[in-house]
Amino acid sequence: MTDQFEVSFTFRAGWCHLKLRVGGEVAVYRATSIEDDFFSDLVVAVAHIASGAAVASVLWGDEPGGVFLDLARSGPDHTSIAVHELGLPDWLTPADPPWMPVRGNALVSARVPALTFLTASKDAFSAVREAAPKGRIPGWGGDFPDVAFSSLCRTLDDRRPS
């Protein structure tokens, strides 16, 4: 278990770089905006975990390849985070043979206090939101997911001690 968790995002030319610091380890993963809005998917997944979902998973699609970001409740006060390579990396051309969401090697696995995870995620999402004029994320092309972010903020506010 680690109490150290940081997350940040950088957007440029249709790419989003996700930087994770878990304990003393730092990793950067990138996703494209060609097919899907992976950033919004991640905000939704974090909001689901915050609201009590047992597990939430996101494809963070690179060209080619990418990673799966898996989040899970781990007891009442912790969140587990696992990052896996794609076992079948060609998600861009899933028609023949059909692509399957198969996980490969584990790149990151950590158990973090839930409040630490949720607060760091909210802060990173807030930084993106502040840089998104009129809701549009510069360098990404997608809109900021206000509904999911608002849900995360409400849930986090409810969890904080008064």
Side-chain angles (χ1 to χ4, degrees), residues 6 10 13 16 23 34 49 65-66 73-74 78 86 88 96 103 118 121 144 152-153 162:
E6 297 174 20
T10 306
C16 178
I34 284 181
I49 290 295
R73 275 185 300 137
S74 183
H78 289 83
L86 300 186
L88 300 173
D96 191 22
R103 281 149 180 78
L118 294 172
S121 298
F144 186 85
L152 170 62
C153 291
S162 333

Side-chain angles (χ1 to χ4, degrees), residues 14-160:
W15 291 96
C16 178
H17 291 83
L18 162 64
K19 180 179 178 182
L20 292 177
R21 180 182 306 271
V22 181
E25 301 293 320
V26 175
V28 178
Y29 306 103
R30 70 180 196 163
T32 178
S33 62
I34 284 181
E35 288 287 320
D36 294 297
D37 186 347
F38 298 113
F39 176 76
S40 291
D41 292 346
L42 182 57
V43 176
V44 168
V46 172
H48 284 312
I49 290 295
S51 67
V55 176
S57 181
V58 175
L59 169 64
W60 196 256
D62 200 347
E63 286 182 40
V67 295
F68 286 106
L69 304 169
D70 297 313
L71 310 172
R73 275 185 300 137
S74 183
D77 298 323
H78 289 83
T79 301
S80 291
I81 302 158
V83 179
H84 289 89
E85 295 175 330
L86 300 186
L88 300 173
D90 200 6
W91 64 271
L92 281 172
T93 55
D96 191 22
W99 181 79
M100 297 289 290
V102 175
R103 281 149 180 78
N105 293 326
L107 304 172
V108 173
S109 59
R111 188 170 178 255
V112 179
L115 192 57
T116 300
F117 169 75
L118 294 172
T119 300
S121 298
K122 178 188 171 254
D123 291 348
F125 298 150
S126 291
V128 173
R129 186 180 194 200
E130 289 172 12
K134 300 181 182 176
R136 196 82 171 151
I137 301 171
W140 182 242
D143 291 332
F144 186 85
D146 279 313
V147 172
F149 180 70
S150 295
S151 172
L152 170 62
C153 291
R154 281 190 306 277
T155 302
L156 188 54
D157 289 344
D158 290 345
R159 290 180 72 138
R160 291 184 193 265

